[in-house]
Amino acid sequence: MTISQIGRKQVQELEVKDLDAVSFENATHGITIMPANFRHPGERVVYHSAALSFYKIAKSKFDIAFLTEPKELLVQKSIDVFLPTLYLALPMLVENPALVQTLIETVVEFVKGTVARPDEANVHLSVVTNRSETPTAVQFDYKGSVEGLTVMQDALNKALDLDK
Amino acid sequence: MISEPFDEPPYTWPVLTEEFSSFLDECASLDLPVRSSKLQAAQVEKIDRAIARLKALKAGAVMDNVEDVANFLFHFQCLLRSVQSALCLWMSLKKQGYEEAWRHLVDAQEYVDVALKIKEVEGARYFKESLEARRRILFPPWNLYNSAGYSETIGYCSICKGTFGLCDHLEGGIYMGTMCRRVGAKFIEANHSALVENPHDRRCILTHRSDDSGRMQNLFTLEFEEKDAADNDNDDVAAVEESRPMKLRGILMTTVVLDFD
């Protein structure tokens, strides 16, 4: 182990992956806040601790709901901001393409309004949406600065264009 | 030197800010390691009394529903707490309480971050930079911290005292001169512990590690501790010697509650 590094690293990563064998049939709202462990349905449901405050900001801007009523929160003691995974219903996106921009602006507002050092934090945000022709869902995982969230916005818009 | 700040009402805003600036200068004059620990300890107590009176003024602003004034007084409060923590840092260092000194530095940084979040002020920004300089000069350049993950119940809102999920207050948001927090959450289960570069709580440092012979080294002082009997027994086993894992000792989690009320 070396102990020679000063300062902090900010990264910028966007990963896109297919999600098989995950059902979103209970996600009936435009945007659904998924549990932190939604890929493991047998487990006790737990949401990221940021999910509640994010929901409070977002609910006045678009149709958003939790998949189930949150009762247990996952706390991760990191300077990074762990946002909940959001499921975006494809019909809602097609009907309202500006939703992607509104969503990203809401994330930026949330981070700047609630984090003490927003410029130093990496934001972790995952967005899942489905594809019109197949039952497969696609997940976009972003990790990076709050300013870099436009990368996520561009990727979602591009996916939406391809799906038209 | 001010006898006791914020102690002679009625106040006008210019008088209040002038008195705050003078008191801050008085505190800053003691913010040096060469100053007397006795004087620094007295100033720490004086800051407590000043903050108690600031909080009384803040309560008045809340009663009058003047959020700007309440938030500005909260900004004063956070700056004073930051300087107070900085004085404690020097006192701890001088009595070789290095872990305690580190905690005071982190407290000072967290207070000034909130002060700056409320209002961007040049003096506060300068003080934040000064604290960062102390971190670089006084302490080892920690690059790994402990970070715990766990689950808990939702708890209550520190602002309205209602169930946190049902009110509109945002965790970390500033309302009427206080910062909203989720309080009263009940621990459910540990999820993980990780070594990370960017922890939420920089108090969670590694304080000791073992060397190749199994001796524990203090990462503040670089001094080695005496080995205990159990470790000496292990030294007799060659196989253990070859595969000896590195031992780390540190702070996994803290329950520090800063004064954001």
Side-chain angles (χ1 to χ4, degrees):
Chain A
M1 185 192 309
T2 61
I3 46 173
S4 59
Q5 186 185 335
I6 300 175
R8 82 166 249 85
K9 282 182 184 170
Q10 268 195 326
V11 296
Q12 186 159 304
E13 297 167 4
L14 180 71
E15 187 185 350
V16 184
K17 62 191 179 198
D18 288 339
L19 280 188
D20 293 321
V22 179
S23 169
F24 294 97
E25 62 183 16
N26 293 329
T28 54
H29 289 260
I31 296 181
T32 302
I33 298 176
M34 304 299 292
N37 52 352
F38 75 95
R39 297 187 70 179
H40 306 281
E43 295 179 2
R44 201 170 62 230
V45 172
V46 57
Y47 287 90
H48 283 294
S49 58
L52 288 173
S53 288
F54 179 75
Y55 168 74
K56 291 175 184 182
I57 282 192
K59 68 182 181 183
S60 63
K61 301 175 190 291
F62 38 77
D63 176 29
I64 185 169
F66 285 93
L67 185 70
T68 56
E69 183 189 351
K71 292 178 178 168
E72 184 174 340
L73 300 178
L74 175 64
V75 180
Q76 286 170 282
K77 289 286 187 184
S78 167
I79 194 176
D80 287 0
V81 182
F82 291 91
L83 284 150
T85 297
L86 303 172
Y87 174 74
L88 274 66
L90 186 63
M92 174 111 163
L93 270 179
V94 171
E95 193 179 299
N96 181 14
L99 178 65
V100 171
Q101 185 177 344
T102 308
L103 171 64
I104 298 300
E105 286 171 356
T106 305
V107 171
V108 172
E109 181 185 340
F110 169 78
V111 173
K112 293 194 170 174
T114 61
V115 176
R117 289 171 281 151
D119 298 339
E120 297 175 31
N122 281 315
V123 176
H124 298 246
L125 173 66
S126 294
V127 173
V128 180
T129 189
N130 44 351
R131 289 180 168 140
S132 56
E133 300 299 323
T134 71
T136 309
V138 58
Q139 178 165 327
F140 300 79
D141 295 325
Y142 173 79
K143 178 185 177 187
S145 68
V146 68
E147 286 78 15
L149 275 163
T150 48
V151 173
M152 173 73 110
Q153 185 177 333
D154 293 344
L156 285 167
N157 282 329
K158 193 174 173 186
L160 190 59
D161 286 342
L162 289 175
D163 218 76
K164 281 178 182 170
Chain B
M1 183 175 282
I2 300 173
S3 54
E4 287 291 335
F6 320 122
D7 200 26
E8 292 182 25
Y11 282 108
T12 60
W13 191 246
V15 168
L16 194 65
T17 50
E18 177 59 34
E19 194 152 328
F20 173 74
S21 295
S22 300
F23 185 52
L24 205 55
D25 287 345
E26 178 186 313
C27 296
S29 71
L30 289 166
D31 184 24
L32 287 170
V34 294
R35 301 302 194 209
S36 148
S37 291
K38 191 176 163 187
L39 290 180
Q40 287 170 332
Q43 196 71 9
V44 163
E45 290 180 7
K46 192 170 178 180
I47 291 172
D48 277 337
R49 294 193 296 274
I51 286 176
R53 286 188 291 273
L54 269 183
K55 286 188 176 185
L57 291 171
K58 193 167 72 174
V62 172
M63 279 185 68
D64 293 341
N65 203 27
V66 193
E67 183 157 27
D68 283 355
V69 173
N71 286 349
F72 215 108
L73 292 169
F74 186 44
H75 169 82
F76 287 174
Q77 175 187 326
C78 290
L79 275 181
L80 285 178
R81 285 284 183 225
S82 184
V83 175
Q84 185 183 44
S85 300
L87 297 180
C88 292
L89 155 68
W90 295 132
M91 289 191 293
S92 298
L93 266 187
K94 285 187 280 184
K95 61 181 187 188
Q96 299 186 348
Y98 302 127
E99 285 186 41
E100 190 180 76
W102 173 256
R103 286 198 297 276
H104 287 309
L105 175 65
V106 177
D107 290 351
Q109 290 181 312
E110 293 188 359
Y111 278 123
V112 81
D113 281 337
V114 174
L116 282 163
K117 184 176 164 183
I118 301 163
K119 187 167 177 61
E120 181 70 39
V121 176
E122 193 180 346
R125 177 65 57 186
Y126 175 80
F127 189 63
K128 178 184 164 79
E129 288 167 8
S130 141
L131 293 171
E132 184 56 29
R134 291 175 213 198
R135 187 176 84 102
R136 286 197 304 272
I137 294 165
L138 299 173
F139 295 100
W142 315 115
N143 69 339
L144 284 175
Y145 300 80
N146 284 313
S147 176
Y150 56 92
S151 67
E152 63 183 16
T153 60
I154 288 173
Y156 299 94
C157 171
S158 65
I159 304 288
C160 64
K161 318 300 179 199
T163 302
F164 186 78
L166 301 180
C167 69
D168 284 332
H169 298 115
L170 308 178
E171 194 173 4
I174 309 292
Y175 301 92
M176 280 289 181
T178 58
M179 189 165 82
C180 175
R181 283 159 295 148
R182 244 176 356 96
V183 295
K186 291 190 170 61
F187 178 85
I188 295 176
E189 69 178 9
N191 180 278
H192 66 267
S193 173
L195 291 175
V196 301
E197 293 179 352
N198 308 310
H200 178 264
D201 187 349
R202 283 167 293 168
R203 298 171 192 83
C204 297
I205 50 173
L206 298 171
T207 58
H208 295 75
R209 68 172 175 184
S210 62
D211 70 356
D212 291 344
S213 69
R215 293 183 307 165
M216 294 303 285
Q217 185 181 29
N218 183 313
L219 291 175
F220 283 96
T221 64
L222 296 184
E223 285 181 344
F224 286 97
E225 290 182 346
E226 293 296 321
K227 281 203 290 188
D228 61 26
D231 281 347
N232 286 331
D233 289 347
N234 285 342
D235 286 347
D236 296 336
V237 184
V240 172
E241 185 73 37
E242 286 170 11
S243 61
R244 188 191 298 278
M246 179 188 280
K247 290 181 191 170
L248 298 170
R249 191 187 304 159
I251 299 161
L252 186 59
M253 210 165 131
T254 66
T255 53
V256 172
V257 180
L258 296 184
D259 178 17
F260 290 130
D261 291 326

